Amino acid sequence: MEEDLKNFIKVWVSAIISISYCYYLSTRFKSGVFRLLFILPVCVQFLFLPLCFSSLHFTGFTVFSLTWLANFKLILFSFNKGPLYPTPPNIYQFICFTCFPIKLQQNPKPRIHLPKWVFAIRVAIFGVLLYMYDYKKDMSSNVLLVLYSLHIYLEFEILLAPLKLLLSMLLGCDLEPQFNEPYLATSLQDFWGRRWNLMVPAILRPAVYVPVRRITERNMKSEHAKFLGVFATFLVSGAVHELIFFYFTRESPTGEVTLYFILHGVCTAAEVAAKRTGLLKRWKMSVMVSRLLTVGFVVVTGGWLFFPPLIRSGMIERLSNEVFLSTDFTKQKVFSIFGEFSRILG
């Protein structure tokens, strides 16, 4: 843990230096392919940084923030597009908006802010969930599937929500939330586009969906172009998740997670098409049933295609074990600091 922590600091210092270089490139070169050529070495560097860790949490945070999001942000920035355009007014904001999974909130919409105790409840549920792994041999596969799904969601929420709050205070601006109660989604379009991991669709929309739709609209109907744009977006997301799983497991990709996102891409595109043709209006469905069907489809297909590579590699167990190890490590450090402080005072 201590060695990984040192590597984590070194990796992120090098990332900040590289991102600072990209910031000053924008003052030297106009947007376009020429700027991209100078940014590409940084993108390649970010592909190798996650290999510096054995810790899944350090690997995961670095992959998500740098290898995936920062690389896409910088490529879009090369052409004056994406979350980094217009360019933030100073280098500190540029570094934060590039390094971390945050996005400036534009045209703020009124949101229902959940009470602070809701976050405490989520932490408590996550703690209970971790201890439940000790009894997983006595659980059915369906219960375990729900357990794994909750684990992924709660760990994302617990790690990213405080980060967003801290950066919002440091930067003095409103930031977009990372999640918007995904368990309340009433359709796949609602789940993937408006509720789950919102920084990702904010990146994939200008990076994949819009270019594919514009190119294909030249040779086909607008509706068909939209379908291909949605499909291409989910295909790219699946390919990136294959890369992420490689960093976690260090095993050759199986293609299962790509199939998972292709399936959801086809279903989401079909859902959107059905809405436009008015086909779904014939079947009136309550909001509760829509939510159950949507979340159920995400979880069940996840048990079929998304989770198997992680379960086979033992990654889920390693994640829970790392939480306990991190807690013990933090306790030891805190107690040693207090002990040293008491010794000096005494």
Side-chain angles (χ1 to χ4, degrees), residues 213-281:
R213 181 179 169 182
R214 284 179 179 172
I215 292 171
T216 53
E217 273 183 336
R218 300 170 187 171
N219 302 311
M220 62 180 63
K221 294 180 180 179
S222 177
E223 294 301 320
H224 296 161
K226 289 177 183 177
F227 180 90
L228 284 178
V230 172
F231 180 80
T233 302
F234 277 89
L235 179 63
V236 170
S237 181
V240 173
H241 277 82
E242 290 283 3
L243 180 63
I244 292 172
F245 278 29
F246 166 75
Y247 287 121
F248 281 141
T249 64
R250 307 296 164 90
E251 297 174 359
S252 299
T254 61
E256 289 166 287
V257 69
T258 301
L259 287 176
Y260 173 79
F261 282 97
I262 288 175
L263 173 63
H264 278 258
V266 171
C267 291
T268 302
E271 180 187 89
V272 172
K275 287 179 181 178
R276 290 184 180 277
T277 58
L279 186 62
L280 294 182
K281 292 181 180 179

Side-chain angles (χ1 to χ4, degrees), residues 73 82-89 93-94 96-98 100-109 111 164 167-178 198-199 202-203:
K73 289 176 186 177
L84 297 178
Y85 183 78
T87 307
Q93 287 194 10
F94 185 84
C96 288
F97 283 116
T98 307
F100 301 110
I102 56 173
K103 182 175 180 284
L104 186 65
Q105 192 167 27
Q106 298 174 344
N107 303 320
K109 299 177 182 178
R111 291 182 180 270
K164 177 228 170 187
L167 291 172
S168 181
M169 291 188 295
L170 290 175
L171 296 172
C173 58
D174 293 328
L175 301 174
E176 293 278 355
Q178 284 93 356
L198 297 178
M199 191 66 240
I203 289 291

Side-chain angles (χ1 to χ4, degrees), residues 31 35 73 76-77 79-88 106:
S31 63
R35 186 194 290 182
K73 289 176 186 177
L76 288 169
F77 174 67
F79 301 95
N80 280 350
K81 297 182 183 298
L84 297 178
Y85 183 78
T87 307
Q106 298 174 344

